[in-house]
């Protein structure tokens, strides 16, 4: 039984007035005859503690001479069956079954191995090893060794020993020594001494390691997580990061795992089931609290929206309650939201934005022009040469190549490329050959002209460009289409959405720092507007218009301060509130502005992830973002992508695209993280 300050923190408790025989009879009746009464099964199983369920299994065997788990497997199917049967196993046997499933068959579910072995304490590990031996007649360590390799295998074996120190008495001298040894094993050493990482992270107590991590940051000037990401790789990196996260906070680790299991298209049901079953009598209340704090929504509401049927009802019972019911943040959630905005301000001031394309050394526009002419002359086209040259030159260098090509051959390089290339590769290469402003202007024009309007493209571009970039887009649009950008937007959009886009296209954002007094007043305006957002009118006092004045014209540093003040005044986060109170394109535009203010590279990382997730790939979005950010912050976008989705942008591009288009995208991406 887990406790926090002496309190039980599970969501499933011993059922009062429990009678194993009555429960066994109820389950028998629920499965008797044609069909089964799933409601009775889920209500009974999810409201008894594991110890009580074990008594029900025994009573069922005594009364009917049958195996309850066998009958449940026969009567139930799919995810619901996996969940209910999982609840009927003792915790150690449940973990043992999960690990057996992870290593048996084709391939290995490394994420399952990592999650279980990184998060269990010594007692749980010992029980798991014994249960595995009892259930399958095999040695768990031997099976893990057969199915894994390298440093990943070595760390798993260390964790399987269940010998982590448990003494809360900490030696300051040893803390300093371990921090220094980790630093020297990674940041200082040419290559990495993985054995040192394995020994320290696999054996020291949680209390000790928490202090080591603090000391390490002082020595290295970066967190231990940042160093692990830089020094290690693959499954070994993921395992060590999981160990660090569990040392820091088990509840936060599982909250993040649950969010990722349900985030985006599709649900990782095995992960969802495993966590909900295994933590229901340990720390589910803490996980719920952490989930609400980190993600500004309740675990209950996310399960409700992401699952269905009896499976959903059973999961909600295990969750144990809806933390959104009151419609307010936990106090901890408001504090966490404040910290995120403070971190946003600190990161914006500290992090250097980096593109992935830099000026080519020994650049010669004439030689590049000749090479491109040769690649397109005669029968067939040498796409490799075209890709190799144009993805490794800056935009300024490409413009010089274009001029040299014209001077030498009297031909337009853009026209030749267009005639020689086709499809997605042509769009990408031609995009690289335009100036940034010309490229953005063309994307906006495509979003406006023709049947329907691509509002997402308009929002993405206009909500993320600075004044100088917006002014250049205006000039490029006028020159290319003989029409002002404002007129084009006004003719194709309407209402509050049109006014937001026109305001953004005016390039009137203040570029000064924050004004604390003004920020307090702006936060009050936002707070008062949200109270009347359900009664939107077309006059100047409407919620969207009043939001627009602040969100479209204040500087980024000032808006960060406004959003912090908003939390202080309302106990809400502005993004969460906009999503709740607004809808449609207006909501999307305001959310894009807020996310851009908070972390622009993370905003683009999410756009790239969505472009490749699910059925089909949005090649236009990939082209638009990689071309437009290649010399600004694509390196930072890569880092945010890896951090958020636990896979590299390079890997996803490689998996989701093909042919010469893929080659060009990977060249622009600039490396595999």
């Amino acid at each position: 039984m887990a406790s926090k300050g002496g309190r039980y923190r599970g969501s499933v408790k011993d059922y009062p007035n429990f009678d194993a025989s009555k429960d066994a009879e109820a389950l028998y009746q629920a499965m008797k005859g044609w069909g089964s009464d799933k409601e009775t099964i889920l209500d009974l199983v999810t409201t008894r503690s594991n110890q009580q369920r074990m008594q029900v299994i025994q009573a069922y065997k005594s009364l009917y001479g049958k195996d309850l788990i066998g009958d449940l497997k026969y009567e139930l199917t799919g995810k619901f069956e996996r969940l209910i049967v999982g609840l009927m196993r003792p915790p150690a046997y449940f973990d043992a079954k999960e690990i057996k499933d992870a290593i048996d068959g084709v391939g290995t579910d490394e994420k399952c191995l990592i999650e279980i072995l990184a998060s269990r304490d010594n007692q749980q590990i010992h029980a798991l090893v014994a249960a595995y031996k009892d259930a399958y007649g095999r040695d768990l360590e031997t099976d893990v060794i057969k199915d894994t390799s390298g440093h990943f295998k070595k760390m798993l074996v260390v964790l399987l020993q269940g010998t982590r120190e448990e003494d809360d008495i900490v030696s300051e001298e040893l803390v300093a020594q371990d921090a220094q040894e980790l630093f020297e094993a990674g940041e200082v050493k040419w290559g990495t001494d993985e054995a040192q990482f394995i020994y320290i992270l696999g054996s020291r107590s949680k209390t000790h390691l928490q202090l080591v991590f603090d000391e390490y940051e002082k020595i290295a000037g970066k967190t231990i997580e940042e160093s692990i990401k830089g020094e290690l790789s693959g499954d070994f990196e993921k395992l060590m990061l999981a160990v660090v996260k569990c040392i820091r906070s088990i509840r936060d680790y599982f909250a993040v795992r649950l969010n990722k299991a349900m985030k985006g298209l599709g649900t990782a049901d095995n992960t969802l089931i495993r966590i909900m079953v295994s933590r229901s009598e340990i720390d589910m209340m803490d996980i719920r609290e952490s989930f609400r704090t980190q993600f500004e929504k309740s675990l209950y509401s996310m399960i409700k929206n992401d699952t269905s049927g009896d499976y959903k009802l059973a999961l909600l019972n295990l969750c144990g309650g809806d933390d959104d019911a009151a419609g307010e943040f936990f106090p901890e959630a408001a504090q966490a939201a404040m910290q995120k905005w403070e971190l946003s301000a600190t990161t914006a001031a500290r992090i250097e934005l980096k593109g992935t394309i830099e000026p080519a050394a020994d650049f010669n526009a004439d030689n590049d022009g000749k090479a491109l002419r040769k690649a397109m002359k005669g029968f067939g086209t040498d796409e490799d040469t075209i890709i190799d040259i144009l993805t490794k030159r800056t935009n300024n260098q490409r413009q010089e190549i274009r001029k040299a090509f014209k001077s030498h051959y009297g031909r337009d390089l853009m026209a030749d490329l267009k005639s020689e290339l086709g499809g997605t590769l042509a769009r990408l290469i031609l995009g690289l050959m335009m100036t940034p402003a010309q490229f953005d202007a063309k994307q906006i024009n495509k979003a406006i002209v023709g049947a329907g309007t691509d509002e997402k493209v308009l929002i993405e571009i206009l909500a993320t460009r600075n004044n100088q970039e917006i002014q250049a887009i205006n000039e490029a649009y006028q020159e290319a289409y003989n029409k002002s950008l404002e007129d084009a937007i006004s003719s194709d959009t309407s209402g509050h959405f049109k006014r937001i886009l026109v305001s953004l296209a005016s390039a009137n954002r203040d570029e000064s720092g924050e004004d604390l007094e003004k920020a307090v007043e702006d936060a009050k305006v936002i707070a008062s507007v949200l109270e009347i957002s359900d009664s939107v009118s077309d006059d100047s006092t409407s919620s969207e218009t009043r939001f627009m004045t602040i969100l479209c014209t204040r500087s980024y540093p000032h808006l960060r301060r406004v959003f912090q003040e908003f939390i202080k005044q309302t106990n809400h986060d502005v993004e969460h509130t906009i999503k709740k109170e607004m809808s449609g394109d207006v909501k999307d535009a305001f959310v894009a502005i807020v996310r851009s203010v908070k972390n622009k590279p993370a905003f683009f990382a999410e756009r790239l992830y969505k472009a490749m997730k699910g059925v089909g790939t949005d090649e236009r979005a990939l082209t638009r973002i990689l071309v437009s950010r290649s010399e600004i912050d694509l390196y930072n976008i890569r880092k945010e992508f890896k951090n958020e989705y636990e896979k590299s942008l390079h890997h996803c591009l490689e998996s989701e695209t093909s042919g010469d288009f893929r080659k060009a995208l990977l060249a622009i991406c600039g490396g595999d993280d």
Side-chain angles (χ1 to χ4, degrees):
M1 298 292 183
S3 64
K4 178 182 174 184
R7 292 182 294 135
Y8 176 68
R9 300 300 291 168
S11 55
V12 177
K13 304 173 183 177
D14 283 337
Y15 190 75
N17 303 317
F18 170 69
D19 186 319
S21 296
K22 284 185 179 178
D23 283 354
E25 184 180 352
L27 289 171
Y28 180 76
Q29 292 298 327
M31 294 185 283
K32 188 180 179 182
W34 183 259
S36 55
D37 181 355
K38 295 181 180 66
E39 186 176 347
T40 294
I41 294 170
L42 78 87
D43 279 344
L44 195 151
V45 173
T46 59
T47 56
R48 274 42 171 188
S49 68
N50 191 267
Q51 190 177 30
Q52 289 175 330
R53 293 183 209 118
M54 297 309 104
Q55 293 178 49
V56 174
I57 289 174
Q58 292 173 353
Y60 193 90
K61 186 82 168 179
S62 298
L63 288 170
Y64 306 107
K66 302 178 72 176
D67 176 32
L68 176 54
I69 290 181
D71 282 2
L72 288 168
K73 282 183 176 181
Y74 181 80
E75 291 292 335
L76 308 178
T77 59
K79 297 172 288 190
F80 182 56
E81 178 226 319
R82 186 180 179 93
L83 175 61
I84 294 298
V85 170
L87 288 167
M88 296 308 297
R89 291 191 172 102
Y93 284 80
F94 175 76
D95 281 350
K97 178 69 164 64
E98 291 294 301
I99 285 187
K100 180 178 177 291
D101 289 347
I103 59 180
D104 273 0
V106 180
T108 303
D109 184 351
E110 291 85 2
K111 289 182 179 179
C112 174
L113 293 179
I114 290 169
E115 179 196 298
I116 291 175
L117 297 182
S119 65
R120 302 319 193 236
D121 61 26
N122 290 346
Q123 186 179 350
Q124 291 167 328
I125 291 288
H126 296 154
L128 160 62
V129 171
Y132 191 91
K133 182 75 172 176
D134 180 53
Y136 308 112
R138 296 176 355 212
D139 179 64
L140 177 53
E141 183 178 325
T142 302
D143 283 359
V144 167
I145 289 172
K146 285 179 185 175
D147 216 60
T148 58
S149 61
H151 298 296
F152 178 58
K153 173 182 72 178
K154 292 175 184 175
M155 185 61 177
L156 289 176
V157 170
V158 168
L159 294 172
L160 275 170
Q161 306 314 302
T163 54
R164 184 177 297 285
E165 296 166 359
E166 295 179 331
D167 192 350
D168 285 338
I169 300 173
V170 175
S171 163
E172 291 182 10
E173 185 178 339
L174 187 57
V175 165
Q177 179 183 316
D178 281 351
Q180 187 64 39
E181 288 184 358
L182 286 172
F183 179 59
E184 291 174 1
E187 295 293 330
V188 174
K189 190 179 177 67
W190 181 260
T192 305
D193 184 355
E194 289 88 353
Q196 200 65 27
F197 275 84
I198 290 171
Y199 172 68
I200 293 173
L201 294 183
S203 63
R204 300 293 195 225
S205 73
K206 286 191 174 185
T207 305
H208 175 86
L209 284 173
Q210 286 166 356
L211 295 174
V212 169
F213 299 158
D214 292 341
E215 185 65 23
Y216 182 91
E217 191 167 354
K218 293 175 188 174
I219 297 171
K222 60 174 70 173
T223 65
I224 188 70
E225 290 93 334
E226 289 173 313
S227 288
I228 288 172
K229 289 174 185 176
E231 298 296 328
L232 310 180
S233 62
D235 293 323
F236 182 48
E237 174 199 340
K238 293 173 185 173
L239 174 58
M240 298 306 266
L241 284 173
V243 169
V244 170
K245 289 172 184 174
C246 289
I247 294 294
R248 288 195 187 277
S249 172
I250 284 272
R251 56 188 252 168
D252 290 351
Y253 171 73
F254 280 115
V256 170
R257 291 280 293 156
L258 285 167
N259 183 58
K260 287 183 176 178
M262 294 181 280
K263 189 176 181 181
L265 297 174
T267 302
D269 292 295
N270 287 352
T271 300
L272 182 56
I273 290 168
R274 187 169 56 247
I275 297 173
M276 296 302 292
V277 170
S278 65
R279 311 312 292 188
S280 61
E281 294 183 49
I282 299 175
D283 53 4
M284 184 56 68
M285 299 300 287
D286 293 330
I287 293 169
R288 272 171 46 183
E289 189 173 302
S290 175
F291 194 98
R292 186 66 179 85
T293 298
Q294 292 189 71
F295 307 111
E296 297 156 16
K297 66 184 79 171
S298 70
L299 175 58
Y300 187 98
S301 66
M302 196 157 186
I303 291 171
K304 189 175 181 181
N305 292 331
D306 214 62
T307 59
S308 60
D310 296 314
Y311 174 57
K312 173 175 76 174
L313 295 175
L315 287 171
L316 292 177
N317 280 359
L318 292 179
C319 182
D322 187 359
D323 303 308
D324 273 343
E328 297 286 338
F329 273 3
F330 289 129
E332 293 90 342
Q335 185 180 1
M338 278 285 291
Q339 289 170 350
K340 285 181 183 177
W341 283 111
E342 288 167 1
L343 178 62
S344 169
T346 303
T347 302
R350 180 171 60 90
I351 297 295
E352 177 189 1
L353 296 179
K354 273 178 63 179
T356 54
I357 297 179
E358 298 180 349
D362 303 321
F363 170 67
N364 187 304
D366 290 337
N367 289 344
D368 283 348
K370 290 174 185 176
L372 288 170
R373 175 66 176 155
K374 184 179 178 182
M376 295 184 285
K377 193 176 180 181
F379 185 75
T381 304
D382 182 358
E383 287 90 353
D384 285 346
T385 295
I386 295 170
I387 292 168
D388 189 55
I389 292 174
L390 297 182
T391 60
K392 293 177 182 175
R393 307 295 187 268
T394 62
N395 193 271
N396 285 338
Q397 290 176 330
R398 291 185 212 114
Q399 302 313 314
E400 290 184 49
I401 295 170
R402 192 173 175 184
K403 290 175 186 175
F405 195 89
K406 185 80 170 178
S407 298
H408 275 289
Y409 306 109
R411 302 171 67 91
D412 179 15
L413 177 56
M414 290 277 284
D416 282 5
L417 289 167
K418 191 172 184 179
S419 69
E420 292 292 328
L421 305 175
T424 53
L425 179 64
R427 279 198 296 269
L428 179 61
I429 295 298
L430 292 172
L432 288 169
M433 291 305 303
M434 297 176 190
T435 68
Q438 288 170 344
F439 180 71
D440 278 348
K442 186 173 181 63
Q443 301 309 301
I444 289 173
N445 182 255
K446 280 185 172 292
I448 290 173
V449 173
T453 303
D454 191 338
E455 292 85 359
K456 289 183 178 179
V457 172
L458 298 180
I459 292 169
E460 179 194 296
I461 295 174
L462 295 176
T464 60
R465 302 317 193 241
N466 61 33
N467 287 347
Q468 186 178 352
E469 290 166 336
I470 294 285
Q471 288 164 0
I473 293 169
N474 272 283
E475 293 169 10
Y477 199 95
Q478 181 70 51
E479 182 179 350
Y481 306 108
N482 296 314
K483 187 177 186 178
S484 74
L485 178 58
E486 181 178 333
D487 286 346
I489 291 169
S490 297
S491 65
D492 211 63
T493 57
S494 61
H496 299 298
F497 182 56
K498 175 181 79 175
R499 292 161 73 182
I500 294 166
L501 295 181
V502 168
S503 179
L504 291 171
S506 300
N508 286 327
R509 189 174 294 284
D510 182 28
E511 295 181 340
S512 61
E514 66 180 69
D515 179 333
L516 181 56
E517 187 175 338
K518 191 175 182 180
V520 172
E521 290 305 311
D522 284 348
K524 287 180 181 176
V525 169
I526 294 176
S528 65
V529 164
L530 286 171
E531 290 179 0
I532 59 167
S533 60
D534 288 335
S535 54
V536 176
S537 63
D538 287 330
D539 61 44
S540 61
T541 62
S542 71
S543 63
E544 286 83 359
T545 301
R546 297 176 70 185
F547 257 120
M548 184 182 71
T549 303
I550 297 169
L551 268 69
C552 297
T553 65
R554 304 291 197 258
S555 72
Y556 275 25
H558 180 79
L559 283 173
R560 291 186 188 104
R561 177 59 60 188
V562 171
F563 299 152
Q564 289 180 61
E565 291 300 321
F566 180 81
I567 294 167
K568 287 181 185 177
Q569 294 175 23
T570 67
N571 204 36
H572 285 76
D573 179 71
V574 70
E575 181 183 337
H576 182 254
T577 309
I578 289 170
K579 287 178 179 176
K580 184 178 178 182
E581 299 294 340
M582 296 185 172
S583 61
D585 297 327
V586 168
K587 177 195 73 175
D588 292 342
F590 285 141
V591 167
I593 293 170
V594 171
R595 288 188 173 176
S596 182
V597 171
K598 183 182 284 185
N599 186 333
K600 194 175 290 185
F603 169 79
F604 282 114
E606 182 182 29
R607 293 280 291 155
L608 286 168
Y609 180 72
K610 287 182 176 177
M612 293 182 280
K613 187 170 176 65
V615 179
T617 300
D618 186 348
E619 287 96 352
R620 291 181 185 274
L622 296 182
T623 298
R624 186 173 61 250
I625 296 172
L626 264 72
V627 169
S628 66
R629 310 312 295 183
S630 60
E631 294 181 50
I632 300 173
D633 55 3
L634 186 53
Y635 178 81
N636 308 85
I637 292 168
R638 272 172 39 189
K639 296 300 179 185
E640 292 291 343
F641 192 100
K642 178 69 183 293
N643 185 55
E644 180 64 23
Y645 304 110
E646 296 183 344
K647 60 185 79 172
S648 69
L649 175 58
H650 186 282
H651 171 77
C652 289
L653 291 170
E654 197 170 36
S655 302
E656 297 296 328
T657 59
S658 61
D660 293 320
F661 179 56
R662 174 170 63 190
K663 289 180 188 175
L665 287 174
L666 293 177
I668 296 170
C669 181
D672 189 354
D673 302 304

